[in-house]
Amino acid sequence: MATSTTTAPAGKGPAGHSPDKRPARRRGALLHRLDLRGAPYAFVAPFFVVFAAFSFYPLLYTSWISLHDVELATLDVMQWVAFDNYVELWGDSRFWNALQNTITIGVISTVPQLLMALGLAHLLNYRMRFSLFFRVASLVPYATSVAAAALVFTMIFERDFGMINWALGTVGIDPLDWEGGKWPAQIAISTIVIWRWTGYNALLYLAAMQAIPAERYEAASLDGASRWKQFTHVTVPGIRSTIVFTIVLSTIGATQLFGEPLIFGQGPNGVTGGADNQYQTLGLLLYEEGWKNYQMGRSATVAWVMFLLLVLVLLVQRLVKRLRSGTS
C-alpha cells in the first residue's frame, strides 16, 4: 500500500513556519555598531600603544628615578631621597648657568630664524621663476644631519683657520675665539640652528600664506595698500596661528638643544659646554650628570625640570592668548 509523505516547503520548519531570524539580525546589528564605533579606536590604537611604550612610560619612570639616588652602573639599586635632587639642583650654580645659556641661545636663534623665515616665505609666495627650485633648496639644511652641519660650521668658526675670522681680518678686525668666549660661542651655535631651521619654518609659513584668500589682497590693493601694508595687515594676521605654532615648536627645540653645542665643543669641552660652561645647555647638563658623572637620579631631575619648563611656557602662551582674546 502506498504511503504519502508530507514535505515542508523550502525555507520553512517542520510545522511550516519560517525560522526565527531575529538572533541573526541582532548579531548583525551588534557587529555593525561595533564596526562603526570601534573602527576609529582600532585605527588610532597603534599610535597610543607606541606612545605609551616609548613616551608615557619613560616619562613616568624618569619621574620615579628623579626621586632616588641612582648610579648608571647600578640602575637596579635605588635609594629613596624624595625631592632632595630637586633641592640640590635648585642650589646648583651649573643649573642656573645652563638655564641662562638655554634661554639666551634660544632667543638668539629663534627670533632671527622666524623673522628670516617669514621674509623668505613672503618672497616665495609671489610668482617668480624657479620658485619650485628655491622651495626645495630651502629644505636642504633641514635634511642635513645635525652632525654634518655642526662639523662644517665648527670649521667655519675655527679660531686660527676659519673662514669667519679670515673675513673679519680682511676688514681689520682681530680674530675671535669663537669657542672660548661666551657670547661668540653662543652666537656661533645659534647660527647653526638658524641655518638648519629657517627653510623648514619658511615652508610652514608659505603653506599658511597660500591658504589666505586672494580676495583679501585684491581688496587691500583697491584700497591703495602698498606691498608692506598688505604684508602687515593681511598676511601676518592671516598666518597668526602658524606663527604661534612655530614659536612653540622653536621653544621646544631650544629647550632640548643638544647636538649643536656638543659637536661644536670638539671633544671633552662639548659635554661641559666649554671650559667654563659658557655655552652648556640643559640638554648638555642632563648628559653630563647621567653619562659623565653617572648620577642618573640628578640627570632624571634635569629632564623633568626641562619638561616642566615646557609646560610653563605652554601655560603662559595660553594665558596670553586668552588675555588677547578677552581684550579684543
Side-chain angles (χ1 to χ4, degrees), residues 256-309:
Q256 300 175 344
L257 191 64
F258 175 75
E260 290 86 348
L262 177 67
I263 300 175
F264 184 78
Q266 304 184 68
N269 287 340
V271 177
T272 59
D276 298 325
N277 306 114
Q278 64 266 23
Y279 57 88
Q280 186 179 49
T281 61
L282 290 175
L284 289 179
L285 180 62
L286 183 153
Y287 185 84
E288 181 186 14
E289 289 288 0
W291 282 266
K292 184 179 180 181
N293 300 334
Y294 305 112
Q295 298 297 320
M296 296 303 296
R298 291 178 61 86
S299 178
T301 304
V302 176
W304 254 87
V305 169
M306 293 169 62
F307 173 74
L308 294 177
L309 286 174

Side-chain angles (χ1 to χ4, degrees), residues 134-296:
F134 289 114
R135 293 176 186 179
V136 175
S138 63
L139 273 180
V140 172
Y142 172 71
T144 305
S145 68
V146 60
L151 285 175
V152 170
F153 275 88
T154 298
M155 292 186 289
I156 292 176
F157 285 100
E158 210 273 330
R159 182 185 60 184
D160 299 322
F161 306 102
M163 185 182 300
I164 300 297
N165 280 340
W166 171 82
L168 293 176
T170 59
V171 294
I173 301 177
D174 294 333
L176 295 176
D177 186 4
W178 292 98
E179 198 272 334
K182 178 177 181 178
W183 289 108
Q186 294 190 11
I187 291 174
I189 294 171
S190 300
T191 304
I192 306 174
V193 179
I194 292 172
W195 181 82
R196 290 193 67 231
W197 290 97
T198 298
Y200 174 80
N201 289 315
L203 290 184
L204 292 179
Y205 290 152
L206 177 61
M209 289 178 183
Q210 292 181 342
I212 300 176
E215 292 79 7
R216 296 186 183 179
Y217 292 101
E218 295 175 359
S221 179
L222 291 175
D223 290 339
S226 61
R227 286 287 182 88
W228 175 251
K229 290 291 185 179
Q230 293 179 28
F231 176 73
T232 55
H233 290 81
V234 178
T235 303
V236 173
I239 63 171
R240 183 174 298 167
S241 59
T242 305
I243 293 176
V244 173
F245 171 75
T246 55
I247 291 175
V248 174
L249 197 66
S250 299
T251 303
I252 295 174
T255 306
Q256 300 175 344
L257 191 64
F258 175 75
E260 290 86 348
L262 177 67
I263 300 175
F264 184 78
Q266 304 184 68
N269 287 340
V271 177
T272 59
D276 298 325
N277 306 114
Q278 64 266 23
Y279 57 88
Q280 186 179 49
T281 61
L282 290 175
L284 289 179
L285 180 62
L286 183 153
Y287 185 84
E288 181 186 14
E289 289 288 0
W291 282 266
K292 184 179 180 181
N293 300 334
Y294 305 112
Q295 298 297 320
M296 296 303 296

Side-chain angles (χ1 to χ4, degrees), residues 108-128:
I108 296 173
S109 61
T110 299
V111 175
Q113 172 196 152
L114 297 184
L115 291 177
M116 293 171 60
L118 192 60
L120 180 60
H122 184 62
L123 292 176
L124 294 175
N125 193 34
Y126 287 99
R127 294 182 179 180
M128 55 185 301

Side-chain angles (χ1 to χ4, degrees), residues 29-197:
L30 178 61
L31 292 176
H32 181 68
R33 286 196 298 269
L34 290 176
D35 181 50
L36 289 178
R37 298 180 180 179
Y41 297 99
F43 289 141
V44 300
F47 165 78
F48 285 102
V49 171
V50 174
F51 174 80
F54 296 99
S55 295
F56 188 68
Y57 171 74
L59 183 66
L60 294 180
Y61 189 65
T62 303
S63 66
W64 177 251
I65 292 179
S66 68
L67 303 176
H68 294 78
D69 184 9
V70 190
E71 294 189 1
L72 181 62
T74 55
L75 291 176
D76 56 337
V77 179
M78 298 185 182
Q79 181 182 358
W80 175 263
V81 294
F83 293 98
D84 289 353
N85 287 329
Y86 292 90
V87 175
E88 292 178 6
L89 189 67
W90 182 268
D92 192 347
S93 60
R94 294 180 307 139
F95 165 72
W96 294 107
N97 175 70
L99 178 61
Q100 180 183 359
N101 293 338
T102 301
I103 294 174
T104 54
I105 294 176
V107 172
I108 296 173
S109 61
T110 299
V111 175
Q113 172 196 152
L114 297 184
L115 291 177
M116 293 171 60
L118 192 60
L120 180 60
H122 184 62
L123 292 176
L124 294 175
N125 193 34
Y126 287 99
R127 294 182 179 180
M128 55 185 301
R129 299 182 62 182
F130 309 110
S131 60
L132 180 60
F133 168 78
F134 289 114
R135 293 176 186 179
V136 175
S138 63
L139 273 180
V140 172
Y142 172 71
T144 305
S145 68
V146 60
L151 285 175
V152 170
F153 275 88
T154 298
M155 292 186 289
I156 292 176
F157 285 100
E158 210 273 330
R159 182 185 60 184
D160 299 322
F161 306 102
M163 185 182 300
I164 300 297
N165 280 340
W166 171 82
L168 293 176
T170 59
V171 294
I173 301 177
D174 294 333
L176 295 176
D177 186 4
W178 292 98
E179 198 272 334
K182 178 177 181 178
W183 289 108
Q186 294 190 11
I187 291 174
I189 294 171
S190 300
T191 304
I192 306 174
V193 179
I194 292 172
W195 181 82
R196 290 193 67 231
W197 290 97

